[in-house]
């Protein structure tokens, strides 16, 4: 593990954008905005939809990244927060609709969003408090059990709120359109030539909502990573006992990790419910939790670009192949197309095993973790060898690392 | 994935529920229900105990949760089914052999011994292979790495069976006639339940003796206490770990065959819930402790059956998970385990 002084310096200096980086970011931004508009224009709606879903998974992965990547707590029940956000958000939205009348409809999603986030955060604390003392693998199993309990309770229609396996909204109820969607659908219409007929759609709306939420998540997560809390997470992840002995409050650090991670699960959950216009317990199985863990592991624990790449690979590519096959763009028959989606789990299992053996840091490791292994900046290397030299010649402390 | 799992749940739930309802009719006959649920619970507990032994054995030596163990259990069910089908296929082994297997009680015993042995050996070898390729490269990696790798193995095996065998539940033929041995006023015990219980107790006794009395068992205990020191004393660590990864999955495989016989079918995702519950059983008893795993299995099986009989079958899985969480919070060392001090 590198010295923390070195870490902060590079991380901060890394945030000053060079011209090259600025151009790359501008290109990415343009693609993020224009590609779905292009797909919408040529009538490939499913591609827009896939992009929206990938956006939600990016958010989930970034949220789980706080818990797994930053704080080093393996959470196998993360999808429970997704479920909490979706169900609480929809139920609260329903109450709002009844209280304020149908004219409040367009604002329900936005008003319910903070409630969903808070509900998820509270669930995170409710889960975090009892499991504070548990170590890595025990924690993983308990969170798995917690996720399953939440799903089973929802399926069994606990308190008569969740409508069991049939899901929400109930027959006769609906999730109202959010603000601006109707207007955009009517007015954002244009054509270029014969083959490009753009009309704003639900999918596009939720795609852009997902992108904006992802940007918010990235902003918050980056700030968190550099914050005092983020650094205490790193210390805790590397060695809990040592971190506690230098005055880091492990209890509060863990609870913050659980609740701040859960918030993004809740936000993504409510967005998902609105995107789908429907929620049911089917969407919140253990496999979904594994899915998100897989994204984080594949991309690189603690890495923001890693989470994005992981979501695209794990959620985007299989859906893309299936969608392309269904729309007849790829010459695959339906049997072959469904094979792609069937085999993906098999491949994911294999990928998890191989990644752990070959490249445990992930495809795009976080700067801090990568640096621990390969300091590529010469100045840092010099500083490091200097401090190493000092350590070797001044203090003869044996390092008992178990 | 999702619907498939809930179908499995419904299957077992229905089995439990119908058993409870058939015996009672209405719930006021609670003494009978209690005894019957206890008997069902002990049977279920025997299965959990067999699987839990595998978790606890591997944890004791490797300090890792072999998440793929539930898939060992599942594979056992399938291997048992295939061997059973092959041995009772007249075109494969001849009419005379099948007649011998099915006709006489000695033949039946030999048939079952072969089914169980082959399931144990095949699944045991599968465990060894998995250890070699998925876990051994990670021996010095951070703690989470082997766990994630194990989850990967579990997903891989589940989907391998789903894709290459069948996505639907396969019926498990009841070659052995299941006879009611005891029938006392609404409470019944059948031969299969007795067989499960006796086999479980027998296997535990053998394993316990093996670990505490033999030379190899001593090597296993030494390895579990301090792997490096044991290596310095001339113990072949790789061999000991491989052995643990043979015995544990082999026991899980046997449990898988029993599960198939008891519930009458095998399915690719049949391992998930029993796997988690058996891990719970191992934790209840004190993970790393063989007798504890046995005790935990029976405790969990009984509690779960009582919950299914008296609360609601839909909540019996919640009971198991809640017990797991409560035990880990209040007595992480388990009933028979010692409290573990975090090493620096």
């Amino acid at each position: 593990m590198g010295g923390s002084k070195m870490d902060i310096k590079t991380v901060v200096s890394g945030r000053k954008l060079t011209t090259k980086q600025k151009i790359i970011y501008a290109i990415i931004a343009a693609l993020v905005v224009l590609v779905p508009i292009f797909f919408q224009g040529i009538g490939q709606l499913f591609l827009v939809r896939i992009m929206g879903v990938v956006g939600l998974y990016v958010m989930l992965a970034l949220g789980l990244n706080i818990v797994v990547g930053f704080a080093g707590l393996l959470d196998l029940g993360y999808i429970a927060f997704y479920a909490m956000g979706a169900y609480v958000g929809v139920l609260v939205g329903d109450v709002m609709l009844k209280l304020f009348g149908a004219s409040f409809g367009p604002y329900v999603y936005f008003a319910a969003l903070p409630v969903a986030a808070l509900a998820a955060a509270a669930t995170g604390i409710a889960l975090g408090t009892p499991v504070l003392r548990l170590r890595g693998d025990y924690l993983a199993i308990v969170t798995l059990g917690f996720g399953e309990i939440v799903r089973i309770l929802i399926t069994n229609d606990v308190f008569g709120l969740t409508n069991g396996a049939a899901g929400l909204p109930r027959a006769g109820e609906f999730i109202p359109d959010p603000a601006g969607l109707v207007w955009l659908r009517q007015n954002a219409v244009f054509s270029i030539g014969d083959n490009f007929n753009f009309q704003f759609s639900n999918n596009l709306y939720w795609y852009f909502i997902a992108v904006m939420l992802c940007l918010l998540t990235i902003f918050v997560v980056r700030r968190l990573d550099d914050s005092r809390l983020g650094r205490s997470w790193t210390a805790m992840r590397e060695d809990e006992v040592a971190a506690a002995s230098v005055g880091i409050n492990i209890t509060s650090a863990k609870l913050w990790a659980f609740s701040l991670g859960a918030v993004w699960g809740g936000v993504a959950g409510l967005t998902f419910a609105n995107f789908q216009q429907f929620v049911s317990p089917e969407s919140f199985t253990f496999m979904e939790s594994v899915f998100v863990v897989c994204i984080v592991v594949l991309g690189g624990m603690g890495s923001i670009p890693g989470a994005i790449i992981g979501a695209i690979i794990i959620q985007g590519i299989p859906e893309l192949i299936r969608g392309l096959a269904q729309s007849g763009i790829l010459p695959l028959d339906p049997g072959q197309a469904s094979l792609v989606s069937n085999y993906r789990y098999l491949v994911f299992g294999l990928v998890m095993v191989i990644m752990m053996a070959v490249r445990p840091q992930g495809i795009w490791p976080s700067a801090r973790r990568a640096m621990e292994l390969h300091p590529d900046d010469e100045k840092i290397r010099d500083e490091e060898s200097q401090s190493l030299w000092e350590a070797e010649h001044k203090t003869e402390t044996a390092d008992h690392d178990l | 994935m999702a619907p498939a799992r809930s179908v499995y749940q419904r299957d077992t739930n229905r089995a439990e529920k119908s058993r409870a309802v058939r015996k009672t009719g209405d719930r006021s006959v609670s003494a009978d229900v209690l005894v019957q649920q206890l008997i069902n619970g002990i049977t279920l507990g025997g299965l959990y105990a067999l699987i839990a032994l595998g978790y606890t054995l591997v944890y004791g030596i490797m300090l890792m949760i072999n998440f793929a163990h539930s898939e060992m259990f599942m594979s056992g069910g399938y291997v048992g089914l295939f061997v059973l089908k092959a041995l009772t296929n007249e075109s494969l082994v001849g009419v005379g052999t099948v007649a011998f297997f099915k006709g006489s009680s000695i033949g039946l015993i030999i048939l079952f011994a072969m089914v169980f042995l082959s399931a144990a050996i095949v699944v045991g070898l599968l465990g060894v292979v998995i250890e070699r390729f998925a876990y051994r490269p990670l021996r010095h990696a951070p703690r989470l790495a082997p766990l994630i790798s194990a989850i990967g193995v579990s997903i891989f095996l589940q989907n391998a069976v789903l894709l290459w065998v069948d996505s639907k539940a396969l019926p498990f033929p009841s070659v052995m006639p299941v006879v009611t041995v005891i029938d006392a006023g609404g409470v019944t015990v059948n031969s299969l339940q007795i067989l499960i219980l006796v086999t479980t107790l027998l296997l535990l006794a053998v394993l316990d003796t093996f670990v505490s009395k033999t030379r190899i068992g001593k090597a296993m205990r030494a390895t579990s206490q301090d792997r490096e020191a044991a290596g310095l004393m001339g113990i072949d660590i790789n061999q000991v770990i491989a052995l643990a990864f043979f015995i544990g999955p082999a026991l899980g495989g046997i449990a898988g065959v029993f599960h198939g016989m008891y519930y009458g079918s095998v399915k690719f995702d049949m391992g998930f819930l029993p796997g988690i519950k058996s891990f719970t059983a191992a934790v209840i008893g004190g993970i790393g402790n063989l007798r504890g795993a046995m005790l935990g299995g029976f405790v969990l099986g009984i509690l779960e059956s009582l919950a299914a009989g008296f609360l609601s079958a839909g909540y019996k899985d919640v009971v198991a998970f809640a017990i797991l969480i409560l035990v880990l919070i209040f007595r992480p060392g388990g009933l028979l385990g010692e409290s573990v001090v975090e090493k620096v």
Side-chain angles (χ1 to χ4, degrees), chain B residues 242-266:
Chain B
L243 186 65
F245 269 96
F246 180 83
I247 298 175
L251 294 175
I254 292 174
V257 182
F258 273 133
H259 193 271
M261 289 164 72
Y262 192 56
Y263 290 101
S265 69
V266 287

Side-chain angles (χ1 to χ4, degrees), chain A residues 127-280:
Chain A
L127 167 67
T129 314
V131 300
L132 280 170
R133 286 187 301 154
L134 299 180
R135 283 169 298 122
D137 35 12
Y138 275 147
L139 179 79
I141 299 289
V142 168
T143 50
L144 188 162
F146 173 79
E148 284 295 294
I149 287 178
V150 168
R151 187 178 61 80
I152 295 170
L153 290 181
I154 292 175
T155 314
N156 282 317
D157 196 8
V158 71
F159 312 133
L161 285 172
T162 60
N163 201 22
L168 289 175
R170 291 179 172 82
E173 289 175 356
F174 64 98
I175 297 178
D177 279 343
L181 177 57
V182 178
W183 185 87
L184 280 167
R185 259 204 308 249
Q186 281 163 357
N187 294 299
V189 182
F190 65 93
S191 300
I192 304 169
D194 290 337
N195 297 323
F196 192 92
N197 300 302
F198 177 84
Q199 187 183 17
F200 204 89
S201 69
N202 286 15
N203 286 341
L204 208 54
Y205 186 90
W206 291 111
Y207 167 77
F208 282 119
I209 292 275
V211 167
M212 279 188 274
L213 287 173
C214 279
L215 289 177
L216 178 67
T217 318
I218 291 170
F219 174 75
V220 173
V221 166
R222 281 181 74 153
R223 303 289 301 177
L224 272 176
D225 195 14
D226 288 347
S227 71
R228 190 181 175 80
L229 183 60
R231 282 176 282 127
S232 59
W233 282 336
T234 310
M236 185 174 82
R237 184 188 72 207
E238 296 297 333
D239 190 333
E240 200 173 305
V241 179
S245 69
V246 293
I248 290 168
N249 185 342
I250 297 291
T251 306
S252 77
K254 278 189 180 175
L255 288 182
W256 274 115
F258 271 116
S259 53
L260 287 175
V263 162
W264 304 109
V267 168
L270 180 58
T271 312
F272 170 75
N274 275 271
F275 194 175
Q276 298 268 316
Q277 298 274 299
F278 177 67
V279 269
S280 78

Side-chain angles (χ1 to χ4, degrees), chain B residues 7 37 40 45 52 60 65-66 90 111 124 139-140 167 191 196 198 201 210 226 253 262 284 321 325 331 336 340 343:
Chain B
V7 166
Q37 287 300 336
N40 294 344
I65 298 170
N66 182 13
E90 289 177 352
L111 174 67
R139 239 175 244 172
H140 300 287
S167 61
S191 49
I196 291 175
V198 170
L201 292 174
F210 175 74
D226 189 329
Y262 192 56
I284 291 176
F321 289 125
I325 294 177
R331 205 175 157 78
L336 300 184
V340 185
K343 283 184 197 164

Side-chain angles (χ1 to χ4, degrees), chain B residues 135-148:
Chain B
Y135 305 149
R136 193 176 293 179
L138 304 177
R139 239 175 244 172
H140 300 287
R143 272 180 91 101
L144 287 188
L147 183 64
I148 293 172

